[in-house]
Amino acid sequence: MTHARSVSGRLPGGEAAVTVHYTDEAIVAVDTAPTESPESLPLLTAGLIDLQVNGYAGLDINSAYVSAETVAELSDRLARIGVTSWAPTVITADEARILHALHQIDLARSTDPLVRAAVPMVHVEGPFISDRDGARGVHDPASIRPLDADEVERWAAHGPIGLVTVSPHTDDAPDHIARIRALGIEVAIGHTHASPEQIRRAVDAGARYSTHLGNGIPPMLPRHPNPIWTQLADDRLTTGIIADGHHLPAEVLEVMLRAKTPARAFLVSDLTAIGGLAPGRYETPVGGQVELEESGRLSYVGTEMLAGAASTLVDGVRTVATGTTFSLADAVGLATTVPGSIVAGRRPGLGRLSIGSPPDLVLWEADGDNLGESVTVVQSGRMVS
Ligand SMILES: [Zn+2]
């Protein structure tokens, strides 16, 4: 047991001063005291949890050259902006390349306890998705293949796979989904052209998540029924949402959150390696030339097509808090308590400011209930910034 330390701030929407005492292992006490001027206090939240990260700041999980050092450095860079837990997201590639990425992530986790704590699981998005344009997004059609629980079982020998995103558009999808669930791995529906009936069957078989609902789907759909309505209406599905202000129009974000909040929606960044870099043009290994605008919008040069996300989870929290009817407290919950509950089996109490929870804490600059930059980040009890 290490000596207890503490941080003090104000909870989003709160009026009192809250002091959280923690050791390297856990939060050990939470004190609340009245204060004369709560607005002068920084905002205090649990560390943010991003369950879909492909890269950041020039570091790329899906590069053929990804190493354990890449993973560790990514973990550190994310912690410095307040994202203290994250799921490296390995996308569609041939099996050898997926296994290489999983092996490097596993190596980083086994050599560095901080990375092990920060990375409770891996998300594999693809390769069992739709190969149709629109539905596949930027995933390489040459590596997209039929849903195969045997391959997932081979991956699972190389690290803590927590979530696999699949398209359930084939008749045998429910069988494979049930087999993946039997491995202790959750299944998300995404990058799909499946029919509402195929989606219902996938959920009956055990799929419990939707991956970035409203994106990774054909641009033209029947008005109803369609797979978005089916997933929005089914309370068995908890959905990831990219709230960067570019992937979903504000009113779509509003309605999705109304259908799924408070417990069945969580924010993801879907960050790529270009996130965190200066605005400008970049060459990407899969997609050719892309342009990053000041606003964080990332698109293929000369087109309106989005080329992935470049805004952080913190930006997503701000988008929800300022661009919808939901409060900052709600927005923070979508990036802490909900994703924390998804990984609770691997890291109990994550995303909560409760006694016994992991000591991941962030103090933020505050202008009323607007979230500024992080000023203090504690990860696994260590001050990282
Ligand atoms: Zn995707």
Side-chain angles (χ1 to χ4, degrees), residues 52 125 139 191 211-212 270:
Q52 194 159 356
E125 187 194 26
H139 289 243
H191 287 283
T211 288
H212 52 52
D270 204 9

Side-chain angles (χ1 to χ4, degrees), residues 304-327:
E304 287 296 302
M305 264 177 66
L306 293 178
S311 300
T312 68
L313 193 62
V314 189
D315 295 321
V317 171
R318 292 187 191 116
T319 300
V320 171
T322 59
T324 73
T325 60
F326 291 85
S327 68

